[in-house]
Amino acid sequence: MSAETAETAEPTEPTADSADAASRRHEQRGWYFYDFACSVYSTSVLTVFIGPYLTSIAKASADADGFVHPLGIPVRAGSLFAYAVSMSVVVAVILMPIVGAAADRTGRKKPLLAAAAYTGAAATTGMFFLDGQRYLLGAFLLIVANAAISVSMVLYNAYLPQIAGPEERDAVSSRGWAFGYTSGALVLVLNLVLYTGHDSFGLSQSDSVRICLASAGLWWGAFTLVPLRRLRDRHVTASGEGAVGSGWRQLMATLRDMRRHPLTLSFLLAYLVYNDGVQTVISQASVYGSEELGLDQTTLITAVLLVQVLAVAGALGMGRLARVYGAKRTILGSLVVWTLILVAGYFLPAGAPVFFYALASAIGLVLGGSQALSRSLFSHLVPRGKEAEYFSAYEMSDRGLSWLGPLVFGLAYQLTGSYRDAIISLVIFFVVGSVLLARVPVRRAVAAAGNPVPERI
């Protein structure tokens, strides 16, 4: 046989396995971009700008006693932002099981993801019109945007078991978080340039804030196009029962089904506890920095940016650690670091930005990784075909039930008058969460859910 004949005799078509792997990588690259799209809302809007701005609008509309009266209800102007966030959680908790049921019954995650994403993006873009005394409009748009991002994350997370095999799930989840923190840092830098230099751009401070808010919505909407083009829906057997009517019944059925998977439920309980601690540290860090440590706003915003930048490296680095030591051990290690962060925070000297930056750096290094690995570990514990249902419960524990930590923080401050005592009180969430997680036999839990057990988990 000649060399030419031998060459032409070689197979040129890709194998089924290689084609499937290429298809998965294509979807994974698209999936990363939803984190890239929506994380800007969490960073620039929710963490930095909307709280102080909405509060200032409400105070400008308040009566002599400092109250506004939405729908005739007296509300202290300084509490409006917190109440709006709380109301958004209620709306999200109502919608998440309905959307999760619809996604699993129809298999049409992508249209539902598009609806949730563009509802949130439109509401965020509409924040450009918040001026004067439009505090009611601001509260309404915040409720819509915050609920929409929670619902969209149920659908986004539910794709993970479908686009990543058991051995690659930790890495894929970590890359998604890294993409999100990258976009959050990038847009926050641009927004801070506009905000701090608004005079040189011929803008008022209010104009610059409204542009920052609206730009986050435009970014969210624009980059959502990438996952919508690359992700695909999987066919499921059609169900005749309406999703809206069955949403809460489906949630109850999901919780009953979880009783058949007690190890999955055990992990969810552990996650609920330690994640409540994580979310409380993030939400209260700026209050601790300003009220207890006497740091200015520029220092606090710069610290948020530092967290965003280092969270990218942290998410990727912890993803690599998980490949060596397993996700469970890596998460447990991160919870030890979280505990040490709180202890260090308790002893942090006032008026010392350098030490606060060091603490922010430590938070950044464990924040993304602990969240990403928790998501990927949970994905192994979900029975096949029930991804959206179970991730609806996961998302509710993440966003809908993170109220106990702030309550403990507030009560500790109320009883002691010390933010240091309040911050150290949060150690209990990481200690209890670590104990609960350590008791979960994850390999047995994966097998009990009917999924293949990865070599490292």
Side-chain angles (χ1 to χ4, degrees):
M1 182 182 292
S2 68
E4 181 179 356
T5 304
E7 183 177 351
T8 57
E10 291 292 325
T12 58
E13 292 297 319
T15 65
D17 287 345
S18 64
D20 183 61
S23 176
R24 281 205 319 275
R25 286 194 297 271
H26 180 79
E27 283 194 273
Q28 288 168 8
R29 294 187 189 106
W31 185 80
Y32 300 147
F33 269 92
Y34 190 67
D35 248 325
F36 192 83
C38 72
S39 291
V40 170
Y41 169 83
S42 300
T43 304
S44 289
V45 177
L46 198 59
T47 303
V48 176
F49 288 112
I50 190 61
Y53 187 65
L54 182 58
T55 300
S56 69
I57 293 175
K59 286 182 175 179
S61 309
D63 59 22
D65 296 321
F67 286 84
V68 291
H69 299 270
L71 306 178
I73 303 170
V75 173
R76 192 174 294 278
S79 300
L80 182 70
F81 172 68
Y83 289 150
V85 172
S86 297
M87 181 59 68
S88 73
V89 171
V90 173
V91 174
V93 166
I94 292 171
L95 291 178
M96 283 191 286
I98 296 173
V99 174
D104 282 335
R105 288 177 182 278
T106 65
R108 293 174 60 79
K109 293 184 182 71
K110 191 158 71 169
L112 292 168
L113 176 62
Y118 283 108
T119 297
T124 305
T125 305
M127 291 177 184
F128 177 79
F129 300 102
L130 299 184
D131 58 1
Q133 299 183 349
R134 295 177 177 173
Y135 70 91
L136 272 179
L137 175 63
F140 173 75
L141 292 176
L142 175 60
I143 290 169
V144 172
N146 227 33
I149 196 170
S150 295
V151 170
S152 72
M153 290 305 291
V154 170
L155 301 160
Y156 169 70
N157 288 337
Y159 269 104
L160 182 58
Q162 298 179 335
I163 64 171
E167 301 293 345
E168 59 183 342
R169 215 166 282 169
D170 291 342
V172 169
S173 182
S174 296
R175 289 189 200 110
W177 279 104
F179 265 61
Y181 283 116
T182 299
S183 71
L186 173 61
V187 175
L188 186 57
V189 167
L190 297 176
N191 285 343
L192 288 178
V193 168
L194 178 64
Y195 177 74
T196 56
H198 59 83
D199 287 334
S200 61
F201 292 104
L203 300 170
S204 68
Q205 187 178 76
S206 174
D207 290 339
S208 68
V209 171
R210 292 188 296 114
I211 291 172
C212 290
L213 293 170
S215 66
L218 295 173
W219 181 285
W220 186 358
F223 284 100
T224 295
L225 291 172
V226 179
L228 293 181
R229 286 180 63 87
R230 293 199 170 198
L231 293 173
R232 62 183 178 87
D233 286 329
R234 273 72 175 170
H235 175 75
V236 297
T237 303
S239 170
E241 189 175 5
V244 173
S246 67
W248 277 99
R249 288 195 298 276
Q250 185 63 61
L251 177 61
M252 295 300 104
T254 299
L255 295 176
R256 286 194 298 270
D257 188 70
M258 280 187 173
R259 293 170 60 185
R260 297 172 48 240
H261 302 281
L263 299 180
T264 299
L265 195 58
S266 296
F267 172 80
L268 194 60
L269 176 62
Y271 173 75
L272 186 155
V273 173
Y274 70 73
N275 181 66
D276 203 350
V278 171
Q279 298 304 322
T280 306
V281 172
I282 297 305
S283 65
Q284 302 302 321
S286 60
V287 175
Y288 185 71
S290 61
E291 299 296 325
E292 184 67 34
L293 304 180
L295 302 175
D296 58 34
Q297 188 68 24
T298 301
T299 300
L300 297 176
I301 293 176
T302 308
V304 171
L305 180 59
L306 184 61
V307 169
Q308 293 296 120
V309 172
L310 290 177
V312 177
L316 296 176
M318 287 181 63
R320 293 190 182 96
L321 287 175
R323 287 200 295 270
V324 178
Y325 300 105
K328 177 183 172 181
R329 289 183 179 178
T330 306
I331 295 170
L332 286 170
S334 76
L335 298 182
V336 172
V337 176
W338 276 109
T339 303
L340 295 175
I341 286 171
L342 291 177
V343 173
Y346 178 82
F347 293 105
L348 211 62
V354 173
F355 292 106
F356 191 73
Y357 288 145
L359 210 62
S361 300
I363 289 174
L365 290 174
V366 293
L367 175 62
S370 57
Q371 292 176 320
L373 293 178
S374 296
R375 176 172 65 185
S376 62
L377 181 54
F378 182 71
S379 72
H380 291 285
L381 310 181
V382 177
R384 188 166 299 177
K386 298 186 177 182
E387 293 86 1
E389 289 178 34
Y390 273 58
F391 268 109
S392 176
Y394 177 88
E395 195 67 19
M396 286 176 72
S397 70
D398 186 2
R399 296 173 185 270
L401 300 179
S402 293
W403 55 269
L404 184 58
L407 177 62
V408 169
F409 185 92
L411 287 175
Y413 178 74
Q414 181 175 330
L415 293 173
T416 67
S418 168
Y419 280 106
R420 294 185 187 275
D421 292 338
I423 202 75
I424 201 66
S425 71
L426 301 178
V427 165
I428 188 67
F429 290 92
F430 297 104
V431 173
V432 173
S434 296
V435 171
L436 292 174
L437 178 59
R439 291 170 60 88
V440 178
V442 291
R443 300 186 72 83
R444 246 189 327 127
V446 175
N451 295 321
V453 181
E455 182 180 349
R456 293 282 186 186
I457 192 168

